[in-house]
Amino acid sequence: MDPWEGSSLTRNPFAWIREALTSSEQDVVNLSGVDTAVYFVFLSTVLGIFALSSLLILPILLPLAATDKSIKNSRDVTDTTSKGTFSQLDNLSMANITRKSSRLWAFLGAVYWISLVTYFMLWKAYKHVSTLRAQALMSADTIPEQFAILVRDIPSPPNGQTHKEFIDSFFRDIYPETFYRSLVVTENRKVNKIWEGLEGYKKKLARAEAIFAATSNRPTNKTGLLGLAGKKVDSIEYYTDLINESVAKLETEQKKVLAEKQQTAAIVFFTDRVTAALAAQSLHSQMVDTWTVTEAPEPRQILWENLNIKFFTRLIRQYLIYFIVAITILFYMIPIAFVSAITTLANLQKAIPFIKPVVKITFIRTVLESYLPQIALIIFLAMLPKFLMFLSKSEGIPSRSHAVRAASGKYFYFSVLNVFIGVTLAGSLFDNLKALQQKPNSIVTVLATSLPKNATFFLTYVALKFFIGYGLELSRIIPLIIFHLKKKYLYKTEAEVKEAWYPGDLRYATRVPSDMLILTITFCYSVIAPLILVFGVIYFGLGWLILRNQALKVYVPSYESYGRMWPHIHTRILAALFLFQVVMFGYLGVKLFVWATLLVPLIVISLIFGYVCRRKFYSGFQHTALEVACRELKERPDLEEIFRSFIPHSLSTHKPEDHQFKGAMSRYQDYAAISAA
Amino acid sequence: MDPWEGSSLTRNPFAWIREALTSSEQDVVNLSGVDTAVYFVFLSTVLGIFALSSLLILPILLPLAATDKSIKNSRDVTDTTSKGTFSQLDNLSMANITRKSSRLWAFLGAVYWISLVTYFMLWKAYKHVSTLRAQALMSADTIPEQFAILVRDIPSPPNGQTHKEFIDSFFRDIYPETFYRSLVVTENRKVNKIWEGLEGYKKKLARAEAIFAATSNRPTNKTGLLGLAGKKVDSIEYYTDLINESVAKLETEQKKVLAEKQQTAAIVFFTDRVTAALAAQSLHSQMVDTWTVTEAPEPRQILWENLNIKFFTRLIRQYLIYFIVAITILFYMIPIAFVSAITTLANLQKAIPFIKPVVKITFIRTVLESYLPQIALIIFLAMLPKFLMFLSKSEGIPSRSHAVRAASGKYFYFSVLNVFIGVTLAGSLFDNLKALQQKPNSIVTVLATSLPKNATFFLTYVALKFFIGYGLELSRIIPLIIFHLKKKYLYKTEAEVKEAWYPGDLRYATRVPSDMLILTITFCYSVIAPLILVFGVIYFGLGWLILRNQALKVYVPSYESYGRMWPHIHTRILAALFLFQVVMFGYLGVKLFVWATLLVPLIVISLIFGYVCRRKFYSGFQHTALEVACRELKERPDLEEIFRSFIPHSLSTHKPEDHQFKGAMSRYQDYAAISAA
């Protein structure tokens, strides 16, 4: 995990490229899990789509556009590319094609070509990911969550029975031979707090001991606010006392939690994988809002506090949050439109007249003109993810990976609707508003006419994204700076240093939607301004290369969902393609090309393709297929250990890492007795 | 089954009413099954809705309408009830209320009252039916289909394996302990034909023997076309020869079918109900279009010829048939509108001038005015069901009960769209067409304004339905006539007579949608012309009474789906309520009542109510819940008999009724050996 050990930057600055290129998918799966491998399938699929598309499109469309004389002949034509300024780029875009020109056939064909390439690549990728997932789930190693299911909405037990007894008897009736035991979910807020306090004291004690060992001075600290006020005490003694106190408190609270704070959810364990897979997919109660079951998430990614939320409360929360997100998207549109308007250079000059002389310097002018609006946008978007993650968790989702998918989905709508459509329409919003009022159905036409005007903006947006984004990524410069500062001034123990460098995972919740935005932009401009395909290829190619390195050497996955992200990604790629087809239909209409209607079948095919993929593949991602679950294990699973892996840290008397207690059945039995009480 | 034995009509003409009224739901379940009991829940629920609604609505709305002076004051108002003729009925309908009158508050309140009553009754009924279903499925008796699942879309076996071996090894891997055996579906068209021929010869032989026994003359017949031409032969000898010939042919063909005509579907048997219930709900293959599983239908209702249809073919067929139905609905609209226009008396007089004097006789005039259009409609609708049933079966549905539900759904759309909306709009269609072209969103308004004009039409329609429909039903006069004619002139053997009287089942496929149409009409007019509620109460009350008698004494259910019809019925009742609310919203708008918007929350509540019911109850009807499947059986199930009950008659060497062979395991083993080949 040490940054200097993993990366060989110091020896040969390009060695990592060779390593990244020669690494196989299996390496990625082994080192970083299926989810990371699936992310690379995404990158390589999109790269493939753009590369294959370019092969045919660039050599055909660019000359066609360049040799038309539309713009040169009529400078007053409204749909030039770079807002008013006539540049070389305009010659290479579809805006340069005369209306009704028969050259538009080539552009129509290009839409078909890109679509067919996309269908082909997506189908291949879905199949591949499906196999990847199946192989991982077939693993001959014991995966604890494959032996368990998550049961929620458990009704109140009949009189005289505890939750635990009620659950056990219900499942023992149904699975007399394969039911192993159950773990009732408890309300852990208080015990978690005590446990976290205890862990904090332990760290502080270790730090005090480290200082003592290094300096031979017994360290002291003040007991008051933030360690700045109050009585001065000897740190080692002080923390030892606190730890003893906390341990006693923790034990009392643990007993109380197990006895009194049982909730309406449980994790139920079976003796084999097939039964668990069967149970997770089957209806247990005639009334669907009781005894609802799902596959158990990995222990490390369970969102415990959500498990007690009831069936219909979850539904209500879900719709409420959809509503909040829709409102937020709408209200974000306003500041973004404002930013986009104010940061146009012409507007800036009006607002702040004294920058006029500065603007006259060509270099500064170029930078400002190209990058100012984009930087504003990127900063704006950076503020969102935490909020969306919070919303997604509030839906009552039981696992972190699911919450990440939900947040990622919301972020995608945000970025496409606000950035792409928002920016495109904002420039000419007020002119268009009138048109929209008269013809509410003409949104596609309005969007189509606005697109070419913003081609330069989005070309630079994509470029900026890969220069700055991946540059930062490669050097991981910000965390490194923070790490070194902290290491120098704050940390004393080995554990502290380790924790500080913990690089986290790939952060799908923001990474995937921001890639998706680039994808959407590239798709939509791929025929209008074909040069963007080059940028798209570079973005996803560079992304693949750099992240391959990071995935193999830096990031540590924080959970494993066995590629459940893929259907999500697939649908959104297809949605982007769909948007592209609709926009092209509109733009060819604007060009008065009557054969634009030939795109209608293509749009229908996209819908059918999505439907077929969903029917064929999706259930395999939602559930574990039985042909997958029935593979034999390398060794008999240790059911006690599986059970223990689901016990929250704060309720476990020993950390799960302490393997010396693995065989200590007597101690374990104590716990079981408490848990059964 | 004898009509004279079951019905006690001859003794006391009203005894059957007492018997029907005193029969309990459990009697119905025992004698006629859960499906019939569910149908009575439907009747009594709707009866309850209308009766409860009447209680409040009739005493309040009728006086309110009668004391308003709108029509008398302005005879030229457009929305009078009975097309131009001023009658007593108009005084009692909402058309008599002045525009903007504050009396409309009561009508608005009535919509709320009816809706709340409906929610309450539907919720209670859904819960009740859910319990009925659960109890039936919990049965301690052995129900063969509870031990089996239907597997379709089985991929081709690897080289060197037969279908049978492939299927067995696949399921044995997953269910090593609970898999019993499998029955591969075969292509039986030819063997069925031979078997049917054989059965026909057997009947004819029996008949010839009966004639011989009665008359002592050896009967003869001709061998040519329809027994009219050709050589004259001795019937007994002739049919005995034919039977022997057929038996030999049948045996050869049976062997061939089992060996060569295996298809890609199978019925898989398990040793216990829980495993079968689990297996039927779980994903077996990572690719969803292979190894698809469903619960096995009852043996008697399997549509064998549909089982081989592939996953995506089924999907395509389904959508294709939706499309065909939509087209048919549209094209039926035209003749119905035509019928509706021509049969208006005024139009008839124009078309056929010489009937004018006849029309002047009041009685004939009344009859013609009231019943002519309705009779035309009823005849028209009678031609549809067979066509819709054919379409539904073509979708690739595996069981008869499912096909009935599908056909019933289509028939519902048909009748509501064509009869209700079609007739309502047809009268003023051409006037409205112009309005529609200008404002395409105003269909609700157009419908709302047209409704009151047709109140009389629909009042008489409902009346006609229960007078004629239930009259025929009670006497079952048509089948009785046919039966007695046939008995007298055709039948010679006991079996023939038995078969001739076979009354069939309740025929949900047409009965439910035609009740639904009455329900929709009553709902939609319940506030506009509240008197219709009386007719609605009579229709469903009489229906309940008469059919209770028929269900207990006449009809024999031809399959049992354990109430799976209910969600279907529930959704359509709710759809009718929704239509009613929308129409009332439109009509209150036409009355210029600004508070009509208060109905919007109600419409939203209907949608939410439907959604909640679906989420809470539907899965319990789609699958067998495990808490239901895990009940203990009275005795160990005879797995061999379960297996045998699924063998098609034409492949079984003995009729399943021949119980003397039950223990003949050696003979059975022969079959098993063939089947395994």
Side-chain angles (χ1 to χ4, degrees):
Chain A
M1 288 311 132
D2 187 286
W4 309 125
E5 181 193 75
S7 138
S8 44
L9 267 172
T10 40
R11 271 182 299 142
N12 175 354
F14 296 105
W16 65 270
I17 294 182
R18 200 176 41 76
E19 282 170 35
L21 285 173
T22 52
S23 65
S24 74
E25 188 167 53
Q26 201 52 50
D27 296 338
V28 176
V29 171
N30 294 344
L31 276 164
S32 191
V34 179
D35 286 343
T36 312
V38 166
Y39 181 67
F40 284 106
V41 173
F42 162 59
L43 292 179
S44 56
T45 302
V46 177
L47 183 62
I49 292 172
F50 289 153
L52 268 175
S53 302
S54 312
L55 275 186
L56 215 70
I57 283 176
L58 292 183
I60 293 174
L61 294 197
L62 289 185
L64 272 181
T67 54
D68 207 308
K69 299 281 178 287
S70 165
I71 291 180
K72 278 166 203 156
N73 293 348
S74 58
R75 287 292 297 272
D76 57 347
V77 73
T78 50
D79 50 351
T80 50
T81 328
S82 43
K83 308 192 177 183
T85 61
F86 176 68
S87 80
Q88 277 299 315
L89 195 68
D90 294 313
N91 279 337
L92 301 172
S93 92
M94 202 174 156
N96 200 30
I97 300 287
T98 324
R99 291 184 175 185
K100 293 184 185 178
S101 162
S102 58
R103 295 184 181 205
L104 290 169
W105 274 108
F107 291 86
L108 181 74
V111 180
Y112 263 90
W113 171 245
I114 292 177
S115 303
L116 294 179
V117 165
T118 309
Y119 301 145
F120 171 73
M121 295 298 287
L122 280 181
W123 183 264
K124 240 185 62 184
Y126 217 144
K127 257 193 166 159
H128 178 63
V129 172
S130 199
T131 317
L132 265 185
R133 175 178 162 86
Q135 276 166 352
L137 290 175
M138 274 178 204
S139 155
D141 298 319
T142 303
I143 303 170
E145 63 269 23
Q146 287 196 328
F147 289 84
I149 62 170
L150 172 64
V151 186
R152 300 170 85 179
D153 310 301
I154 300 172
S156 325
N159 277 336
Q161 264 190 325
T162 65
H163 268 282
K164 175 101 189 151
E165 285 163 6
F166 184 47
I167 295 166
D168 284 4
S169 80
F170 182 85
F171 283 98
R172 198 164 284 128
D173 278 352
I174 299 175
Y175 313 95
E177 277 146 36
T178 45
F179 170 71
Y180 175 60
R181 65 188 298 180
S182 67
L183 174 75
V184 183
V185 172
T186 46
E187 207 281 275
N188 296 341
R189 210 163 299 155
K190 201 173 161 197
V191 76
N192 281 345
K193 219 171 167 183
I194 298 173
W195 186 77
E196 273 158 27
L198 176 63
E199 291 295 300
Y201 298 145
K202 279 185 186 162
K203 271 186 206 152
K204 281 183 183 153
L205 178 64
R207 183 186 156 89
E209 278 169 347
I211 294 172
F212 181 52
T215 62
S216 299
N217 292 328
R218 285 187 81 85
T220 57
N221 66 305
K222 289 178 179 171
T223 57
L225 190 76
L226 292 169
L228 297 175
K231 211 171 58 167
K232 212 170 184 179
V233 291
D234 180 277
S235 292
I236 296 179
E237 273 171 34
Y238 177 67
Y239 287 119
T240 313
D241 287 351
L242 276 178
I243 286 170
N244 291 338
E245 209 175 285
S246 293
V247 165
K249 251 205 261 174
L250 186 67
E251 274 172 17
T252 326
E253 182 62 25
Q254 277 177 348
K255 274 177 198 153
K256 196 174 148 198
V257 161
L258 294 172
E260 294 167 22
K261 295 190 177 173
Q262 297 188 2
Q263 293 191 307
T264 60
I267 294 164
V268 173
F269 297 87
F270 296 96
T271 53
D272 66 293
R273 301 203 283 192
V274 171
T275 312
L278 282 165
Q281 299 176 47
S282 298
L283 183 71
H284 279 69
S285 162
Q286 180 76 10
M287 297 295 156
V288 185
D289 58 349
T290 53
W291 299 104
T292 50
V293 293
T294 43
E295 293 186 359
E298 276 182 315
R300 57 179 166 171
Q301 55 159 317
I302 296 181
L303 299 171
W304 294 96
E305 62 281 12
N306 276 349
L307 299 186
N308 199 38
I309 301 170
K310 287 288 189 183
F311 187 73
F312 282 111
T313 318
R314 297 202 294 271
L315 283 181
I316 293 168
R317 281 179 178 221
Q318 203 184 342
Y319 286 105
L320 203 71
I321 279 164
Y322 289 169
F323 178 73
I324 293 173
V325 170
I327 291 288
T328 322
I329 289 177
L330 218 69
F331 280 87
Y332 251 72
M333 205 80 130
I334 295 165
I336 284 192
F338 181 72
V339 164
S340 169
I342 201 91
T343 50
T344 315
L345 213 55
N347 290 339
L348 260 188
Q349 280 176 340
K350 269 182 236 154
I352 328 169
F354 61 83
I355 64 160
K356 226 172 179 174
V358 183
V359 166
K360 278 185 179 151
I361 304 161
T362 325
F363 173 73
I364 294 178
R365 187 190 168 85
T366 314
V367 168
L368 282 182
E369 202 164 36
S370 319
Y371 294 115
L372 210 60
Q374 288 86 337
I375 289 171
L377 246 179
I378 288 170
I379 292 172
F380 230 85
L381 283 174
M383 288 153 59
L384 264 171
K386 280 218 181 297
F387 177 61
L388 293 178
M389 194 65 189
F390 164 75
L391 283 181
S392 300
K393 280 188 181 168
S394 309
E395 283 181 34
I397 287 170
S399 73
R400 195 155 285 122
S401 63
H402 191 168
V404 163
R405 286 198 297 282
S408 164
K410 297 185 178 79
Y411 199 77
F412 172 74
Y413 292 119
F414 240 99
S415 49
V416 168
L417 282 172
N418 277 334
V419 181
F420 182 59
I421 297 184
V423 168
T424 307
L425 292 186
S428 42
L429 190 63
F430 296 101
D431 310 344
N432 291 328
L433 227 52
K434 254 183 267 171
L436 279 178
Q437 272 171 342
Q438 288 165 343
K439 272 193 190 174
N441 301 332
S442 64
I443 179 113
V444 171
T445 318
V446 171
L447 187 59
T449 43
S450 312
L451 271 178
K453 294 182 202 158
N454 291 287
T456 325
F457 176 91
F458 283 115
L459 274 173
T460 39
Y461 183 85
V462 174
L464 199 70
K465 263 283 186 179
F466 65 70
F467 282 134
I468 298 190
Y470 284 128
L472 282 177
E473 179 62 58
L474 190 57
S475 61
R476 281 185 51 80
I477 203 127
I478 295 167
L480 256 183
I481 291 169
I482 296 171
F483 168 66
H484 278 281
L485 283 176
K486 282 192 176 175
K487 193 178 176 187
K488 197 152 188 185
Y489 299 108
L490 282 171
Y491 301 142
K492 305 295 171 191
T493 64
E494 197 54 37
E496 278 177 323
V497 174
K498 212 169 170 183
E499 197 178 348
W501 177 247
Y502 183 71
D505 62 7
L506 274 166
R507 275 180 291 273
Y508 296 106
T510 54
R511 193 177 294 278
V512 170
S514 83
D515 289 347
M516 281 291 170
L517 179 61
I518 303 292
L519 172 85
T520 311
I521 292 170
T522 313
F523 258 141
C524 288
Y525 282 103
S526 58
V527 169
I528 293 176
L531 263 191
I532 207 166
L533 280 173
V534 178
F535 291 85
V537 167
I538 297 174
Y539 179 87
F540 286 98
L542 260 185
W544 189 92
L545 195 67
I546 291 168
L547 287 172
R548 191 78 159 196
N549 176 61
Q550 307 296 87
L552 293 173
K553 295 182 190 150
V554 180
Y555 290 127
V556 180
S558 62
Y559 59 78
E560 175 67 274
S561 70
Y562 301 100
R564 287 203 57 173
M565 193 75 178
W566 181 256
H568 177 99
I569 292 174
H570 172 89
T571 314
R572 278 158 189 81
I573 297 179
L574 212 57
L577 181 75
F578 182 78
L579 182 66
F580 159 60
Q581 291 167 342
V582 170
V583 161
M584 284 312 297
F585 175 66
Y587 191 55
L588 282 169
V590 170
K591 285 278 181 190
L592 305 177
F593 188 61
V594 287
W595 297 103
T597 42
L598 284 180
L599 285 180
V600 174
L602 200 61
I603 293 170
V604 174
I605 290 172
S606 289
L607 293 175
I608 294 175
F609 178 78
Y611 178 74
V612 168
C613 284
R614 196 187 159 83
R615 290 304 300 252
K616 186 175 169 78
F617 299 109
Y618 185 62
S619 292
F621 283 82
Q622 224 179 351
H623 303 296
T624 306
L626 294 173
E627 65 171 0
V628 165
C630 74
R631 297 306 162 103
E632 262 176 47
L633 287 170
K634 217 158 43 192
E635 52 191 16
R636 256 180 78 90
D638 181 349
L639 293 169
E640 289 301 328
E641 201 183 337
I642 289 171
F643 176 73
R644 279 187 64 175
S645 69
F646 275 90
I647 297 171
H649 290 184
S650 57
L651 287 181
S652 163
T653 28
H654 312 283
K655 284 192 196 173
E657 294 96 288
D658 292 349
H659 280 288
Q660 74 249 45
F661 283 99
K662 206 194 265 182
M665 283 306 286
S666 63
R667 281 219 50 88
Y668 172 71
Q669 289 299 339
D670 288 348
Y671 174 79
I674 298 168
S675 138
Chain B
M1 290 310 132
D2 187 284
W4 309 123
E5 182 194 74
S7 140
S8 45
L9 265 172
T10 41
R11 272 181 298 145
N12 173 353
F14 297 106
W16 65 269
I17 294 182
R18 200 177 40 75
E19 281 170 37
L21 285 173
T22 53
S23 65
S24 74
E25 186 167 58
Q26 200 51 50
D27 294 339
V28 177
V29 172
N30 294 342
L31 275 164
S32 191
V34 179
D35 286 343
T36 313
V38 165
Y39 181 66
F40 284 106
V41 173
F42 163 58
L43 292 179
S44 56
T45 303
V46 177
L47 183 61
I49 292 172
F50 290 154
L52 268 175
S53 303
S54 311
L55 275 187
L56 214 70
I57 283 175
L58 293 184
I60 293 174
L61 294 197
L62 289 185
L64 273 182
T67 54
D68 208 307
K69 301 277 178 288
S70 163
I71 293 180
K72 280 165 202 159
N73 293 348
S74 58
R75 288 294 297 272
D76 57 347
V77 72
T78 49
D79 51 350
T80 51
T81 328
S82 42
K83 308 192 177 179
T85 61
F86 176 68
S87 80
Q88 277 298 314
L89 193 68
D90 295 312
N91 278 337
L92 300 172
S93 90
M94 200 173 156
N96 200 31
I97 301 287
T98 324
R99 290 187 176 182
K100 294 187 185 177
S101 161
S102 58
R103 293 183 182 206
L104 290 169
W105 274 106
F107 291 85
L108 181 74
V111 180
Y112 263 89
W113 171 245
I114 292 176
S115 304
L116 294 179
V117 165
T118 309
Y119 301 144
F120 172 73
M121 296 297 288
L122 281 182
W123 183 263
K124 237 184 66 183
Y126 217 144
K127 255 193 165 160
H128 178 63
V129 173
S130 198
T131 317
L132 266 183
R133 175 177 163 86
Q135 276 166 354
L137 290 175
M138 275 179 203
S139 155
D141 298 320
T142 303
I143 303 171
E145 63 269 23
Q146 286 195 328
F147 290 84
I149 61 170
L150 171 65
V151 186
R152 301 170 85 177
D153 310 301
I154 300 171
S156 327
N159 277 338
Q161 265 190 323
T162 65
H163 268 283
K164 175 102 188 147
E165 285 163 5
F166 184 46
I167 294 166
D168 284 5
S169 79
F170 182 84
F171 283 97
R172 199 163 283 127
D173 277 351
I174 298 176
Y175 312 94
E177 278 144 37
T178 45
F179 171 73
Y180 175 60
R181 63 189 298 180
S182 67
L183 174 75
V184 182
V185 172
T186 47
E187 208 281 275
N188 296 341
R189 211 163 295 156
K190 202 173 162 196
V191 77
N192 281 345
K193 219 171 167 183
I194 299 172
W195 185 78
E196 274 158 25
L198 176 62
E199 292 295 301
Y201 299 143
K202 279 184 185 165
K203 272 185 205 153
K204 282 182 181 151
L205 178 64
R207 184 185 154 92
E209 279 169 348
I211 294 171
F212 180 53
T215 61
S216 299
N217 294 326
R218 284 189 81 85
T220 57
N221 66 303
K222 290 178 177 168
T223 58
L225 190 75
L226 293 169
L228 298 172
K231 210 171 57 163
K232 212 171 185 178
V233 290
D234 180 276
S235 291
I236 294 179
E237 273 173 36
Y238 176 68
Y239 288 120
T240 313
D241 287 351
L242 274 178
I243 286 170
N244 291 337
E245 209 174 285
S246 293
V247 166
K249 249 205 264 174
L250 186 67
E251 272 172 17
T252 328
E253 182 63 25
Q254 278 177 348
K255 273 179 201 151
K256 197 173 145 199
V257 161
L258 293 172
E260 293 167 24
K261 293 190 178 172
Q262 297 188 1
Q263 292 190 307
T264 59
I267 294 164
V268 172
F269 297 87
F270 297 96
T271 54
D272 67 294
R273 301 205 282 192
V274 171
T275 311
L278 282 166
Q281 300 176 47
S282 297
L283 182 73
H284 279 70
S285 160
Q286 179 76 9
M287 295 296 155
V288 186
D289 58 348
T290 54
W291 299 104
T292 50
V293 294
T294 44
E295 293 185 359
E298 277 183 314
R300 57 178 167 173
Q301 56 160 317
I302 295 180
L303 300 171
W304 293 97
E305 62 279 13
N306 276 349
L307 299 186
N308 199 37
I309 302 170
K310 287 287 189 186
F311 187 75
F312 282 111
T313 319
R314 297 203 295 271
L315 283 181
I316 293 167
R317 282 181 177 220
Q318 203 184 344
Y319 286 106
L320 203 70
I321 280 164
Y322 289 169
F323 178 73
I324 293 173
V325 169
I327 292 289
T328 321
I329 289 179
L330 218 70
F331 281 89
Y332 252 71
M333 205 80 129
I334 295 165
I336 284 194
F338 181 72
V339 164
S340 168
I342 201 92
T343 51
T344 313
L345 215 55
N347 291 338
L348 258 189
Q349 281 176 339
K350 269 182 236 157
I352 328 169
F354 61 84
I355 64 159
K356 225 172 183 176
V358 183
V359 167
K360 277 186 181 150
I361 305 162
T362 325
F363 173 72
I364 294 180
R365 186 190 168 82
T366 313
V367 169
L368 282 181
E369 201 165 36
S370 318
Y371 295 116
L372 208 63
Q374 288 86 337
I375 291 172
L377 244 180
I378 290 171
I379 293 172
F380 229 87
L381 284 174
M383 289 153 58
L384 261 172
K386 279 219 183 294
F387 176 60
L388 293 179
M389 193 65 189
F390 163 75
L391 282 181
S392 299
K393 279 188 182 168
S394 309
E395 282 180 37
I397 287 169
S399 74
R400 194 156 285 121
S401 63
H402 190 168
V404 163
R405 285 198 297 282
S408 166
K410 295 185 179 81
Y411 198 77
F412 172 74
Y413 291 120
F414 240 97
S415 49
V416 168
L417 282 172
N418 278 333
V419 181
F420 182 61
I421 297 182
V423 167
T424 306
L425 292 186
S428 42
L429 190 65
F430 295 102
D431 309 343
N432 291 328
L433 228 51
K434 252 183 267 169
L436 278 178
Q437 272 171 342
Q438 288 165 340
K439 270 194 192 172
N441 301 331
S442 65
I443 178 112
V444 172
T445 318
V446 170
L447 188 60
T449 44
S450 312
L451 271 178
K453 295 181 201 158
N454 291 287
T456 326
F457 175 92
F458 283 115
L459 273 174
T460 41
Y461 182 85
V462 173
L464 199 71
K465 262 283 186 177
F466 67 68
F467 283 134
I468 299 191
Y470 283 128
L472 284 177
E473 178 62 57
L474 190 57
S475 62
R476 283 187 50 82
I477 204 126
I478 296 168
L480 257 183
I481 293 169
I482 296 172
F483 169 65
H484 280 281
L485 284 175
K486 281 192 174 173
K487 194 180 176 185
K488 198 151 186 186
Y489 299 108
L490 282 173
Y491 301 143
K492 305 294 173 189
T493 64
E494 197 55 35
E496 278 176 324
V497 174
K498 212 170 167 182
E499 197 177 349
W501 177 249
Y502 182 72
D505 61 8
L506 275 166
R507 275 182 291 271
Y508 297 106
T510 56
R511 193 178 294 278
V512 170
S514 84
D515 289 347
M516 281 290 169
L517 179 59
I518 303 292
L519 172 86
T520 311
I521 292 170
T522 312
F523 259 141
C524 288
Y525 282 102
S526 58
V527 169
I528 293 176
L531 265 190
I532 207 165
L533 280 173
V534 178
F535 291 86
V537 167
I538 297 174
Y539 178 88
F540 285 98
L542 261 184
W544 188 92
L545 196 67
I546 292 169
L547 287 171
R548 192 78 159 196
N549 177 62
Q550 308 296 89
L552 292 173
K553 296 182 188 149
V554 181
Y555 290 128
V556 180
S558 63
Y559 58 79
E560 175 66 275
S561 70
Y562 301 99
R564 285 204 57 174
M565 193 74 175
W566 182 256
H568 176 97
I569 292 174
H570 173 89
T571 314
R572 278 160 189 79
I573 297 179
L574 212 56
L577 181 75
F578 182 78
L579 182 65
F580 158 58
Q581 290 167 342
V582 170
V583 161
M584 283 312 298
F585 175 67
Y587 190 55
L588 283 170
V590 169
K591 285 277 182 191
L592 303 178
F593 188 60
V594 286
W595 297 102
T597 42
L598 284 179
L599 286 180
V600 174
L602 200 60
I603 293 170
V604 174
I605 290 171
S606 289
L607 294 175
I608 294 175
F609 178 79
Y611 178 73
V612 168
C613 284
R614 197 187 159 83
R615 289 306 299 253
K616 184 174 171 76
F617 299 110
Y618 185 61
S619 293
F621 283 82
Q622 224 180 354
H623 303 295
T624 306
L626 295 173
E627 64 171 3
V628 165
C630 74
R631 297 305 162 109
E632 260 178 46
L633 288 170
K634 219 159 41 191
E635 52 190 14
R636 256 181 77 90
D638 181 347
L639 293 170
E640 288 301 327
E641 202 183 335
I642 290 172
F643 175 73
R644 279 187 63 175
S645 69
F646 275 90
I647 298 171
H649 292 183
S650 58
L651 286 183
S652 163
T653 29
H654 313 284
K655 286 190 195 173
E657 294 96 291
D658 293 349
H659 280 288
Q660 73 249 44
F661 282 100
K662 204 194 266 183
M665 283 306 286
S666 61
R667 281 220 49 87
Y668 171 70
Q669 289 297 340
D670 289 349
Y671 174 79
I674 298 167
S675 136

